[in-house]
Amino acid sequence: MADSQKKPSVLIFGGLNTCSRALAALLVPLDGEPLVSLLRIVDKYSVHPATTYLGSEFPKILEKPEVEYKQANLTVGTTIASVFDPPEGQGEFDYVYDFTGEIRTDRTEVIQYSTTYCIARMLGLEAAKRKVKAFVRIQQPFYETSSKGSLETDDPKPAGAVGIWWHETLRGLAAIEDLNLVILRVGFVYGPYTSHGIIATGINVASVYGYMKKPMKSMWSPGKNPNNTIHVDDVAGAAWASSQWISGLGRKAANEAAGVPIPFHNDKTFVKEHPDIPAHNTKPVAPLFNLVDDSNSTLLSVGEVVTSFFGTNFEFFNMVESAFLKWIDHDIEEINEQHVSGWTEMLMKANPPISKTPLTAYMDKYTLEKHVVAFPNNKIKQVIGYQLKHPEFNHAAVKDIVDKWKEEGSWPVIN
Ligand SMILES: *[C@@H]1O[C@H](CO)[C@@H](O)[C@H](O)[C@H]1NC(C)=O
């Protein structure tokens, strides 16, 4: 095979608990030709035995000859350098997918800085040093956008400490000038084997209310609360398309085609004391794309899809927002009481009963809060030509998710 036709070798960092298993399944499918010559996945979890939820498909992908898994602590700089080393006799890795970052919203700023910012920044520096042809960063939707939607050129507000550090990470990467970087700013991710995030929780909780034959009630009035969504297979597909796009262009041309300045949203004092963070008065430029489906999902539409799937309704509490905010702070347990005990009952009554599942009906503070996330998706379609595989969040999507959970024994089958 001529060198120009050689399949790329790729590295995926992090995201075992979010989107990287779906990307692995795209790059090295269970049935069919792999798209890559070598896939190395690196994350902090052990896979044998599994210390995080892997789903029933991923362990089979790990068995493929093209795939290797390395458990590594990426907060250590020398570890990062060593996991970039290609196997003996092979050239540097071609593409890198950075799916790292702390998704728990209750972590301290110090942890966010070291595990979200520092890891990604070190990965970016190492990738640039080794001249990888593509470095694709997934930006989780920790923003409050305008309800009309934030274009790539707009400046949505990072949501809380988690949002500030995820956003700062983009500046830290964008500032690495010769890094062949593409940023994908995703909506709320859902899909098979995807147990994290507010959509998965919404599905689980809706099933409880369906089981109890009661309406599921939301705290936030049915006004315009966009909660744009994206299927995990489209996160994978767009990441692959983005790497192919920039590898043919290089960063400079990619900036010209799709670059936007990334504004500052952090604490100036903290940044002054950390020379690895770009100065507050700089706005590094990077190619950035919103990535959501065509559903224009809102809290109401997502709520209606999941509740009607389980044969119940989505309704709203008649409550003043300020009263509710106080309630969240003090009574998360009380808010959760009904559906958490309902879920436990479903697990016990299931045939066979389920004693262990990664799925929960517990809604944490972040899940209960109001989110406005709207990212118009025209740019990635126009510039990269990406075509969504799952343009709509609908009953078929929920069925596919629940069926796969049933099949692997994570979901209560009640008959
Ligand atoms: C990873 O390495 C850092 C720095 O040495 C250390 O503080 C941390 O505890 C390590 N994490 C794990 C899970 O071993």
Side-chain angles (χ1 to χ4, degrees), residues 3-42:
D3 207 40
S4 60
Q5 291 167 349
K6 198 178 148 286
K7 289 177 183 174
S9 56
V10 313
L11 265 167
I12 304 176
F13 287 103
L16 219 54
N17 56 345
T18 56
C19 304
S20 61
R21 287 170 288 127
L23 179 57
L26 172 71
L27 300 180
V28 184
L30 270 186
D31 311 300
E33 271 294 296
L35 304 179
V36 298
S37 57
L38 169 64
L39 165 59
R40 178 182 294 167
I41 306 164
V42 187

Side-chain angles (χ1 to χ4, degrees), residues 44 71-77 79:
K44 65 184 171 193
Q71 182 183 10
N73 183 345
L74 296 172
T75 60
V76 184
T79 304

Side-chain angles (χ1 to χ4, degrees), residues 102-121:
E102 176 56 63
I103 57 165
R104 281 182 53 177
T105 51
D106 57 351
R107 294 305 188 117
T108 63
E109 201 146 349
V110 175
I111 291 179
Q112 282 295 347
Y113 166 67
S114 64
T115 59
T116 302
Y117 184 86
C118 292
I119 289 179
R121 169 86 179 169

